[in-house]
Amino acid sequence: ARLVGGMSLTPSAASPTPPRTVAVPPATRVRWLVLAMLFIVTTINFADRATMSIAGADIRKAFDLSPMQMGYIFSAFAWSYVLAQLPGGWLLDRFGSKTTYFFGLTLWSLFTMFQGTVGFLTGGAAVAVLLVLRLALGAAEAPSFPGNGRITSAWFPANERGLASAIFNSAQYFATALFAPIMGWLVHTFGWQSVFYVMGCLGLALALAWNKVIYGPRAHPWVNQAEIDYIQAGGALVVSNACISSTAPA
C-alpha cells in the first residue's frame, strides 16, 4: 500500500476476464436443396415416360400402326420398369444413389432422345426400334424412386421425412400439369419428334446439375456441422461416404 496525501491506496485485485462466447453459426438448410433436386428430377422422370402418350397419336398415323402394335409399345416401358426394380435396388446399394441415379438419368434421357430418331425408319424397323427404346427407358428409370427414398433417409430426420417424401412424390402429378401442355404444343408446332429431342436434352442438362448438388450429408461442400448434427440427432442415416459406399444410404 502507498500513502498519498495521508490516504492509503491499495491496488485492487485484477477483475476476472469474462469468458468469451463463440457464436455458433445457424444450421444450413442444404437438405431442402437436395430435396428440390429430387423433385425436379422426378418431374423430368415422369414427363419422359409420358412423351409417348402425347406423341402416340401422331406416331400411329406416321407409321400406320395397329392398336395392337401401339399396345405393345405403350406397355414395353412397364415390363422393363418392373423387372429392373430389383437390379436397380442392388445397383443403388452397391454404387450409391448419386452414381446410380446419374447414370440412370443420363441413359433414360438418351433413350428418350433416340425415340425421336425413329422417324427416319419405316415399317417394322420403326416399330422394333421404338419397342426396344421403350424397354430401355423403363429399365433406366427403375432405380429412381428407390433412390429418392434412399437419399431422403440420409438427409432428413424422422420428423421431416414424411413431408420430404410427399414433396418428391407430388412431382409425378406436377410433371403432367406442367409438361403435358408444353409437349402438346411441341407436337402441334414442330412435329412429334420434337417432344423426344426437347425432353432428352432437358434430362442431359439436369444430369450435369445432379453431380453438383447431390452428395452424402458429410461429403456435401455446402453443409455445416450444425445441420449434420440436427439431421443425425433426428434419425437421418448420416455416413461419411454416403455417395459411394455399398453400405451407405445416399
Side-chain angles (χ1 to χ4, degrees), residues 155-187:
W155 272 100
F156 282 86
N159 64 309
E160 294 176 353
R161 206 169 296 157
L163 174 61
S165 298
I167 289 174
F168 76 70
N169 270 291
S170 68
Q172 57 187 301
Y173 307 105
F174 179 73
T176 303
L178 176 64
F179 280 104
I182 295 173
M183 291 190 290
W185 174 79
L186 286 171
V187 170

PDB file of all heavy atoms in Angstrom, residues 155-187:
ATOM      1  N   TRP A 155     -30.755 -37.705 -45.604  1.00  0.00           N
ATOM      2  CA  TRP A 155     -30.711 -36.261 -45.412  1.00  0.00           C
ATOM      3  C   TRP A 155     -31.756 -35.722 -44.450  1.00  0.00           C
ATOM      4  O   TRP A 155     -31.608 -34.588 -43.955  1.00  0.00           O
ATOM      5  CB  TRP A 155     -30.886 -35.561 -46.756  1.00  0.00           C
ATOM      6  CG  TRP A 155     -29.602 -35.341 -47.497  1.00  0.00           C
ATOM      7  CD1 TRP A 155     -29.090 -36.082 -48.517  1.00  0.00           C
ATOM      8  CD2 TRP A 155     -28.646 -34.294 -47.251  1.00  0.00           C
ATOM      9  NE1 TRP A 155     -27.881 -35.570 -48.929  1.00  0.00           N
ATOM     10  CE2 TRP A 155     -27.593 -34.459 -48.175  1.00  0.00           C
ATOM     11  CE3 TRP A 155     -28.591 -33.238 -46.343  1.00  0.00           C
ATOM     12  CZ2 TRP A 155     -26.482 -33.617 -48.210  1.00  0.00           C
ATOM     13  CZ3 TRP A 155     -27.487 -32.397 -46.383  1.00  0.00           C
ATOM     14  CH2 TRP A 155     -26.462 -32.584 -47.299  1.00  0.00           C
ATOM     15  N   PHE A 156     -32.806 -36.477 -44.180  1.00  0.00           N
ATOM     16  CA  PHE A 156     -33.905 -35.898 -43.390  1.00  0.00           C
ATOM     17  C   PHE A 156     -34.120 -36.650 -42.085  1.00  0.00           C
ATOM     18  O   PHE A 156     -34.146 -37.885 -42.067  1.00  0.00           O
ATOM     19  CB  PHE A 156     -35.196 -35.899 -44.212  1.00  0.00           C
ATOM     20  CG  PHE A 156     -35.237 -34.795 -45.231  1.00  0.00           C
ATOM     21  CD1 PHE A 156     -34.660 -34.975 -46.484  1.00  0.00           C
ATOM     22  CD2 PHE A 156     -35.801 -33.570 -44.937  1.00  0.00           C
ATOM     23  CE1 PHE A 156     -34.662 -33.960 -47.420  1.00  0.00           C
ATOM     24  CE2 PHE A 156     -35.809 -32.546 -45.863  1.00  0.00           C
ATOM     25  CZ  PHE A 156     -35.235 -32.741 -47.107  1.00  0.00           C
ATOM     26  N   PRO A 157     -34.298 -35.890 -40.990  1.00  0.00           N
ATOM     27  CA  PRO A 157     -34.660 -36.526 -39.724  1.00  0.00           C
ATOM     28  C   PRO A 157     -36.069 -37.094 -39.800  1.00  0.00           C
ATOM     29  O   PRO A 157     -36.856 -36.732 -40.683  1.00  0.00           O
ATOM     30  CB  PRO A 157     -34.571 -35.374 -38.713  1.00  0.00           C
ATOM     31  CG  PRO A 157     -34.808 -34.137 -39.523  1.00  0.00           C
ATOM     32  CD  PRO A 157     -34.225 -34.417 -40.882  1.00  0.00           C
ATOM     33  N   ALA A 158     -36.384 -37.963 -38.871  1.00  0.00           N
ATOM     34  CA  ALA A 158     -37.671 -38.655 -38.915  1.00  0.00           C
ATOM     35  C   ALA A 158     -38.850 -37.695 -38.894  1.00  0.00           C
ATOM     36  O   ALA A 158     -39.869 -37.944 -39.539  1.00  0.00           O
ATOM     37  CB  ALA A 158     -37.764 -39.629 -37.744  1.00  0.00           C
ATOM     38  N   ASN A 159     -38.728 -36.578 -38.185  1.00  0.00           N
ATOM     39  CA  ASN A 159     -39.857 -35.652 -38.074  1.00  0.00           C
ATOM     40  C   ASN A 159     -40.087 -34.825 -39.338  1.00  0.00           C
ATOM     41  O   ASN A 159     -41.066 -34.100 -39.440  1.00  0.00           O
ATOM     42  CB  ASN A 159     -39.649 -34.712 -36.877  1.00  0.00           C
ATOM     43  CG  ASN A 159     -38.436 -33.820 -37.037  1.00  0.00           C
ATOM     44  OD1 ASN A 159     -37.338 -34.299 -37.323  1.00  0.00           O
ATOM     45  ND2 ASN A 159     -38.611 -32.529 -36.860  1.00  0.00           N
ATOM     46  N   GLU A 160     -39.184 -34.917 -40.331  1.00  0.00           N
ATOM     47  CA  GLU A 160     -39.368 -34.205 -41.590  1.00  0.00           C
ATOM     48  C   GLU A 160     -39.462 -35.147 -42.796  1.00  0.00           C
ATOM     49  O   GLU A 160     -39.719 -34.704 -43.906  1.00  0.00           O
ATOM     50  CB  GLU A 160     -38.189 -33.244 -41.829  1.00  0.00           C
ATOM     51  CG  GLU A 160     -38.086 -32.111 -40.836  1.00  0.00           C
ATOM     52  CD  GLU A 160     -36.859 -31.249 -41.052  1.00  0.00           C
ATOM     53  OE1 GLU A 160     -36.013 -31.609 -41.895  1.00  0.00           O
ATOM     54  OE2 GLU A 160     -36.728 -30.205 -40.374  1.00  0.00           O
ATOM     55  N   ARG A 161     -39.290 -36.424 -42.558  1.00  0.00           N
ATOM     56  CA  ARG A 161     -39.162 -37.364 -43.671  1.00  0.00           C
ATOM     57  C   ARG A 161     -40.491 -37.566 -44.404  1.00  0.00           C
ATOM     58  O   ARG A 161     -40.516 -37.741 -45.619  1.00  0.00           O
ATOM     59  CB  ARG A 161     -38.623 -38.701 -43.164  1.00  0.00           C
ATOM     60  CG  ARG A 161     -37.879 -39.498 -44.230  1.00  0.00           C
ATOM     61  CD  ARG A 161     -37.161 -40.667 -43.608  1.00  0.00           C
ATOM     62  NE  ARG A 161     -36.131 -40.214 -42.683  1.00  0.00           N
ATOM     63  CZ  ARG A 161     -35.650 -40.949 -41.681  1.00  0.00           C
ATOM     64  NH1 ARG A 161     -36.147 -42.152 -41.458  1.00  0.00           N
ATOM     65  NH2 ARG A 161     -34.703 -40.474 -40.907  1.00  0.00           N
ATOM     66  N   GLY A 162     -41.588 -37.537 -43.676  1.00  0.00           N
ATOM     67  CA  GLY A 162     -42.888 -37.678 -44.326  1.00  0.00           C
ATOM     68  C   GLY A 162     -43.168 -36.532 -45.280  1.00  0.00           C
ATOM     69  O   GLY A 162     -43.636 -36.743 -46.407  1.00  0.00           O
ATOM     70  N   LEU A 163     -42.861 -35.316 -44.842  1.00  0.00           N
ATOM     71  CA  LEU A 163     -43.049 -34.149 -45.695  1.00  0.00           C
ATOM     72  C   LEU A 163     -42.145 -34.240 -46.921  1.00  0.00           C
ATOM     73  O   LEU A 163     -42.582 -33.964 -48.051  1.00  0.00           O
ATOM     74  CB  LEU A 163     -42.746 -32.875 -44.911  1.00  0.00           C
ATOM     75  CG  LEU A 163     -42.756 -31.568 -45.709  1.00  0.00           C
ATOM     76  CD1 LEU A 163     -44.125 -31.312 -46.318  1.00  0.00           C
ATOM     77  CD2 LEU A 163     -42.319 -30.401 -44.824  1.00  0.00           C
ATOM     78  N   ALA A 164     -40.887 -34.624 -46.707  1.00  0.00           N
ATOM     79  CA  ALA A 164     -39.946 -34.736 -47.822  1.00  0.00           C
ATOM     80  C   ALA A 164     -40.433 -35.762 -48.845  1.00  0.00           C
ATOM     81  O   ALA A 164     -40.383 -35.524 -50.057  1.00  0.00           O
ATOM     82  CB  ALA A 164     -38.565 -35.109 -47.308  1.00  0.00           C
ATOM     83  N   SER A 165     -40.924 -36.900 -48.365  1.00  0.00           N
ATOM     84  CA  SER A 165     -41.428 -37.934 -49.277  1.00  0.00           C
ATOM     85  C   SER A 165     -42.647 -37.444 -50.043  1.00  0.00           C
ATOM     86  O   SER A 165     -42.801 -37.729 -51.241  1.00  0.00           O
ATOM     87  CB  SER A 165     -41.769 -39.205 -48.500  1.00  0.00           C
ATOM     88  OG  SER A 165     -40.612 -39.732 -47.864  1.00  0.00           O
ATOM     89  N   ALA A 166     -43.522 -36.714 -49.355  1.00  0.00           N
ATOM     90  CA  ALA A 166     -44.713 -36.182 -50.023  1.00  0.00           C
ATOM     91  C   ALA A 166     -44.332 -35.198 -51.115  1.00  0.00           C
ATOM     92  O   ALA A 166     -44.955 -35.162 -52.181  1.00  0.00           O
ATOM     93  CB  ALA A 166     -45.624 -35.512 -49.000  1.00  0.00           C
ATOM     94  N   ILE A 167     -43.286 -34.412 -50.884  1.00  0.00           N
ATOM     95  CA  ILE A 167     -42.873 -33.410 -51.875  1.00  0.00           C
ATOM     96  C   ILE A 167     -42.342 -34.082 -53.128  1.00  0.00           C
ATOM     97  O   ILE A 167     -42.750 -33.751 -54.251  1.00  0.00           O
ATOM     98  CB  ILE A 167     -41.832 -32.454 -51.266  1.00  0.00           C
ATOM     99  CG1 ILE A 167     -42.509 -31.538 -50.229  1.00  0.00           C
ATOM    100  CG2 ILE A 167     -41.160 -31.620 -52.355  1.00  0.00           C
ATOM    101  CD1 ILE A 167     -41.560 -30.661 -49.455  1.00  0.00           C
ATOM    102  N   PHE A 168     -41.425 -35.052 -52.976  1.00  0.00           N
ATOM    103  CA  PHE A 168     -40.895 -35.639 -54.212  1.00  0.00           C
ATOM    104  C   PHE A 168     -41.920 -36.541 -54.893  1.00  0.00           C
ATOM    105  O   PHE A 168     -41.903 -36.707 -56.113  1.00  0.00           O
ATOM    106  CB  PHE A 168     -39.544 -36.338 -54.000  1.00  0.00           C
ATOM    107  CG  PHE A 168     -39.567 -37.684 -53.316  1.00  0.00           C
ATOM    108  CD1 PHE A 168     -40.093 -38.806 -53.939  1.00  0.00           C
ATOM    109  CD2 PHE A 168     -38.991 -37.840 -52.059  1.00  0.00           C
ATOM    110  CE1 PHE A 168     -40.080 -40.050 -53.325  1.00  0.00           C
ATOM    111  CE2 PHE A 168     -38.969 -39.075 -51.434  1.00  0.00           C
ATOM    112  CZ  PHE A 168     -39.524 -40.183 -52.076  1.00  0.00           C
ATOM    113  N   ASN A 169     -42.855 -37.122 -54.120  1.00  0.00           N
ATOM    114  CA  ASN A 169     -43.916 -37.915 -54.748  1.00  0.00           C
ATOM    115  C   ASN A 169     -44.878 -37.051 -55.553  1.00  0.00           C
ATOM    116  O   ASN A 169     -45.425 -37.494 -56.570  1.00  0.00           O
ATOM    117  CB  ASN A 169     -44.691 -38.687 -53.681  1.00  0.00           C
ATOM    118  CG  ASN A 169     -44.102 -40.053 -53.414  1.00  0.00           C
ATOM    119  OD1 ASN A 169     -44.161 -40.956 -54.239  1.00  0.00           O
ATOM    120  ND2 ASN A 169     -43.492 -40.209 -52.246  1.00  0.00           N
ATOM    121  N   SER A 170     -45.081 -35.823 -55.106  1.00  0.00           N
ATOM    122  CA  SER A 170     -46.005 -34.935 -55.823  1.00  0.00           C
ATOM    123  C   SER A 170     -45.486 -34.560 -57.198  1.00  0.00           C
ATOM    124  O   SER A 170     -46.245 -34.096 -58.051  1.00  0.00           O
ATOM    125  CB  SER A 170     -46.265 -33.669 -55.007  1.00  0.00           C
ATOM    126  OG  SER A 170     -45.093 -32.863 -54.922  1.00  0.00           O
ATOM    127  N   ALA A 171     -44.195 -34.784 -57.432  1.00  0.00           N
ATOM    128  CA  ALA A 171     -43.609 -34.424 -58.720  1.00  0.00           C
ATOM    129  C   ALA A 171     -44.230 -35.202 -59.871  1.00  0.00           C
ATOM    130  O   ALA A 171     -44.292 -34.703 -61.002  1.00  0.00           O
ATOM    131  CB  ALA A 171     -42.097 -34.655 -58.699  1.00  0.00           C
ATOM    132  N   GLN A 172     -44.702 -36.426 -59.599  1.00  0.00           N
ATOM    133  CA  GLN A 172     -45.280 -37.218 -60.683  1.00  0.00           C
ATOM    134  C   GLN A 172     -46.550 -36.567 -61.238  1.00  0.00           C
ATOM    135  O   GLN A 172     -46.845 -36.687 -62.428  1.00  0.00           O
ATOM    136  CB  GLN A 172     -45.560 -38.632 -60.203  1.00  0.00           C
ATOM    137  CG  GLN A 172     -46.472 -38.750 -59.010  1.00  0.00           C
ATOM    138  CD  GLN A 172     -46.556 -40.177 -58.497  1.00  0.00           C
ATOM    139  OE1 GLN A 172     -46.950 -41.083 -59.220  1.00  0.00           O
ATOM    140  NE2 GLN A 172     -46.193 -40.383 -57.240  1.00  0.00           N
ATOM    141  N   TYR A 173     -47.290 -35.882 -60.397  1.00  0.00           N
ATOM    142  CA  TYR A 173     -48.501 -35.184 -60.855  1.00  0.00           C
ATOM    143  C   TYR A 173     -48.163 -33.799 -61.390  1.00  0.00           C
ATOM    144  O   TYR A 173     -48.805 -33.310 -62.320  1.00  0.00           O
ATOM    145  CB  TYR A 173     -49.513 -35.107 -59.719  1.00  0.00           C
ATOM    146  CG  TYR A 173     -49.796 -36.468 -59.121  1.00  0.00           C
ATOM    147  CD1 TYR A 173     -49.270 -36.840 -57.883  1.00  0.00           C
ATOM    148  CD2 TYR A 173     -50.562 -37.400 -59.826  1.00  0.00           C
ATOM    149  CE1 TYR A 173     -49.509 -38.094 -57.355  1.00  0.00           C
ATOM    150  CE2 TYR A 173     -50.802 -38.660 -59.301  1.00  0.00           C
ATOM    151  CZ  TYR A 173     -50.272 -39.005 -58.074  1.00  0.00           C
ATOM    152  OH  TYR A 173     -50.494 -40.250 -57.565  1.00  0.00           O
ATOM    153  N   PHE A 174     -47.151 -33.183 -60.799  1.00  0.00           N
ATOM    154  CA  PHE A 174     -46.704 -31.888 -61.294  1.00  0.00           C
ATOM    155  C   PHE A 174     -46.174 -32.017 -62.713  1.00  0.00           C
ATOM    156  O   PHE A 174     -46.354 -31.111 -63.545  1.00  0.00           O
ATOM    157  CB  PHE A 174     -45.624 -31.323 -60.372  1.00  0.00           C
ATOM    158  CG  PHE A 174     -45.075 -29.996 -60.813  1.00  0.00           C
ATOM    159  CD1 PHE A 174     -45.840 -28.851 -60.679  1.00  0.00           C
ATOM    160  CD2 PHE A 174     -43.806 -29.898 -61.356  1.00  0.00           C
ATOM    161  CE1 PHE A 174     -45.340 -27.616 -61.087  1.00  0.00           C
ATOM    162  CE2 PHE A 174     -43.299 -28.676 -61.765  1.00  0.00           C
ATOM    163  CZ  PHE A 174     -44.066 -27.530 -61.634  1.00  0.00           C
ATOM    164  N   ALA A 175     -45.532 -33.154 -63.027  1.00  0.00           N
ATOM    165  CA  ALA A 175     -44.996 -33.380 -64.373  1.00  0.00           C
ATOM    166  C   ALA A 175     -46.102 -33.310 -65.417  1.00  0.00           C
ATOM    167  O   ALA A 175     -45.942 -32.688 -66.470  1.00  0.00           O
ATOM    168  CB  ALA A 175     -44.293 -34.738 -64.430  1.00  0.00           C
ATOM    169  N   THR A 176     -47.230 -33.957 -65.113  1.00  0.00           N
ATOM    170  CA  THR A 176     -48.352 -33.927 -66.055  1.00  0.00           C
ATOM    171  C   THR A 176     -48.909 -32.519 -66.198  1.00  0.00           C
ATOM    172  O   THR A 176     -49.178 -32.048 -67.317  1.00  0.00           O
ATOM    173  CB  THR A 176     -49.457 -34.884 -65.593  1.00  0.00           C
ATOM    174  OG1 THR A 176     -48.920 -36.202 -65.468  1.00  0.00           O
ATOM    175  CG2 THR A 176     -50.611 -34.909 -66.575  1.00  0.00           C
ATOM    176  N   ALA A 177     -49.090 -31.842 -65.062  1.00  0.00           N
ATOM    177  CA  ALA A 177     -49.657 -30.493 -65.097  1.00  0.00           C
ATOM    178  C   ALA A 177     -48.769 -29.527 -65.870  1.00  0.00           C
ATOM    179  O   ALA A 177     -49.260 -28.670 -66.615  1.00  0.00           O
ATOM    180  CB  ALA A 177     -49.871 -29.991 -63.672  1.00  0.00           C
ATOM    181  N   LEU A 178     -47.455 -29.662 -65.716  1.00  0.00           N
ATOM    182  CA  LEU A 178     -46.543 -28.722 -66.350  1.00  0.00           C
ATOM    183  C   LEU A 178     -46.231 -29.091 -67.797  1.00  0.00           C
ATOM    184  O   LEU A 178     -46.312 -28.250 -68.702  1.00  0.00           O
ATOM    185  CB  LEU A 178     -45.237 -28.641 -65.554  1.00  0.00           C
ATOM    186  CG  LEU A 178     -44.131 -27.768 -66.158  1.00  0.00           C
ATOM    187  CD1 LEU A 178     -44.584 -26.305 -66.212  1.00  0.00           C
ATOM    188  CD2 LEU A 178     -42.842 -27.898 -65.352  1.00  0.00           C
ATOM    189  N   PHE A 179     -45.883 -30.352 -68.018  1.00  0.00           N
ATOM    190  CA  PHE A 179     -45.315 -30.714 -69.313  1.00  0.00           C
ATOM    191  C   PHE A 179     -46.337 -31.193 -70.346  1.00  0.00           C
ATOM    192  O   PHE A 179     -46.042 -31.147 -71.550  1.00  0.00           O
ATOM    193  CB  PHE A 179     -44.231 -31.782 -69.128  1.00  0.00           C
ATOM    194  CG  PHE A 179     -42.915 -31.220 -68.679  1.00  0.00           C
ATOM    195  CD1 PHE A 179     -42.501 -31.354 -67.365  1.00  0.00           C
ATOM    196  CD2 PHE A 179     -42.109 -30.534 -69.572  1.00  0.00           C
ATOM    197  CE1 PHE A 179     -41.292 -30.830 -66.944  1.00  0.00           C
ATOM    198  CE2 PHE A 179     -40.899 -29.999 -69.164  1.00  0.00           C
ATOM    199  CZ  PHE A 179     -40.478 -30.141 -67.851  1.00  0.00           C
ATOM    200  N   ALA A 180     -47.494 -31.679 -69.923  1.00  0.00           N
ATOM    201  CA  ALA A 180     -48.475 -32.136 -70.918  1.00  0.00           C
ATOM    202  C   ALA A 180     -48.855 -31.015 -71.891  1.00  0.00           C
ATOM    203  O   ALA A 180     -48.849 -31.224 -73.117  1.00  0.00           O
ATOM    204  CB  ALA A 180     -49.703 -32.717 -70.230  1.00  0.00           C
ATOM    205  N   PRO A 181     -49.183 -29.804 -71.422  1.00  0.00           N
ATOM    206  CA  PRO A 181     -49.486 -28.729 -72.384  1.00  0.00           C
ATOM    207  C   PRO A 181     -48.279 -28.353 -73.235  1.00  0.00           C
ATOM    208  O   PRO A 181     -48.421 -28.067 -74.431  1.00  0.00           O
ATOM    209  CB  PRO A 181     -49.914 -27.556 -71.488  1.00  0.00           C
ATOM    210  CG  PRO A 181     -50.281 -28.171 -70.185  1.00  0.00           C
ATOM    211  CD  PRO A 181     -49.391 -29.359 -70.021  1.00  0.00           C
ATOM    212  N   ILE A 182     -47.095 -28.350 -72.626  1.00  0.00           N
ATOM    213  CA  ILE A 182     -45.889 -27.981 -73.379  1.00  0.00           C
ATOM    214  C   ILE A 182     -45.606 -29.015 -74.469  1.00  0.00           C
ATOM    215  O   ILE A 182     -45.320 -28.655 -75.627  1.00  0.00           O
ATOM    216  CB  ILE A 182     -44.677 -27.849 -72.428  1.00  0.00           C
ATOM    217  CG1 ILE A 182     -44.896 -26.680 -71.457  1.00  0.00           C
ATOM    218  CG2 ILE A 182     -43.388 -27.660 -73.219  1.00  0.00           C
ATOM    219  CD1 ILE A 182     -43.842 -26.564 -70.382  1.00  0.00           C
ATOM    220  N   MET A 183     -45.695 -30.291 -74.114  1.00  0.00           N
ATOM    221  CA  MET A 183     -45.421 -31.328 -75.101  1.00  0.00           C
ATOM    222  C   MET A 183     -46.485 -31.350 -76.190  1.00  0.00           C
ATOM    223  O   MET A 183     -46.181 -31.594 -77.361  1.00  0.00           O
ATOM    224  CB  MET A 183     -45.295 -32.686 -74.400  1.00  0.00           C
ATOM    225  CG  MET A 183     -44.057 -32.809 -73.532  1.00  0.00           C
ATOM    226  SD  MET A 183     -43.735 -34.492 -72.932  1.00  0.00           S
ATOM    227  CE  MET A 183     -45.072 -34.710 -71.746  1.00  0.00           C
ATOM    228  N   GLY A 184     -47.722 -31.084 -75.813  1.00  0.00           N
ATOM    229  CA  GLY A 184     -48.774 -30.994 -76.824  1.00  0.00           C
ATOM    230  C   GLY A 184     -48.505 -29.881 -77.802  1.00  0.00           C
ATOM    231  O   GLY A 184     -48.702 -30.035 -79.026  1.00  0.00           O
ATOM    232  N   TRP A 185     -48.040 -28.746 -77.295  1.00  0.00           N
ATOM    233  CA  TRP A 185     -47.709 -27.620 -78.172  1.00  0.00           C
ATOM    234  C   TRP A 185     -46.538 -27.966 -79.086  1.00  0.00           C
ATOM    235  O   TRP A 185     -46.529 -27.615 -80.277  1.00  0.00           O
ATOM    236  CB  TRP A 185     -47.378 -26.404 -77.320  1.00  0.00           C
ATOM    237  CG  TRP A 185     -46.884 -25.236 -78.110  1.00  0.00           C
ATOM    238  CD1 TRP A 185     -47.631 -24.346 -78.840  1.00  0.00           C
ATOM    239  CD2 TRP A 185     -45.518 -24.829 -78.277  1.00  0.00           C
ATOM    240  NE1 TRP A 185     -46.819 -23.420 -79.440  1.00  0.00           N
ATOM    241  CE2 TRP A 185     -45.522 -23.680 -79.115  1.00  0.00           C
ATOM    242  CE3 TRP A 185     -44.311 -25.318 -77.777  1.00  0.00           C
ATOM    243  CZ2 TRP A 185     -44.344 -23.027 -79.467  1.00  0.00           C
ATOM    244  CZ3 TRP A 185     -43.138 -24.677 -78.139  1.00  0.00           C
ATOM    245  CH2 TRP A 185     -43.153 -23.548 -78.967  1.00  0.00           C
ATOM    246  N   LEU A 186     -45.531 -28.681 -78.554  1.00  0.00           N
ATOM    247  CA  LEU A 186     -44.385 -29.072 -79.373  1.00  0.00           C
ATOM    248  C   LEU A 186     -44.817 -29.981 -80.520  1.00  0.00           C
ATOM    249  O   LEU A 186     -44.374 -29.809 -81.666  1.00  0.00           O
ATOM    250  CB  LEU A 186     -43.345 -29.790 -78.501  1.00  0.00           C
ATOM    251  CG  LEU A 186     -42.528 -28.917 -77.544  1.00  0.00           C
ATOM    252  CD1 LEU A 186     -41.702 -29.782 -76.591  1.00  0.00           C
ATOM    253  CD2 LEU A 186     -41.613 -27.978 -78.326  1.00  0.00           C
ATOM    254  N   VAL A 187     -45.684 -30.959 -80.209  1.00  0.00           N
ATOM    255  CA  VAL A 187     -46.156 -31.865 -81.259  1.00  0.00           C
ATOM    256  C   VAL A 187     -46.914 -31.087 -82.331  1.00  0.00           C
ATOM    257  O   VAL A 187     -46.720 -31.297 -83.539  1.00  0.00           O
ATOM    258  CB  VAL A 187     -47.045 -32.968 -80.657  1.00  0.00           C
ATOM    259  CG1 VAL A 187     -47.740 -33.773 -81.756  1.00  0.00           C
ATOM    260  CG2 VAL A 187     -46.222 -33.903 -79.773  1.00  0.00           C
TER     261      VAL A 187
END
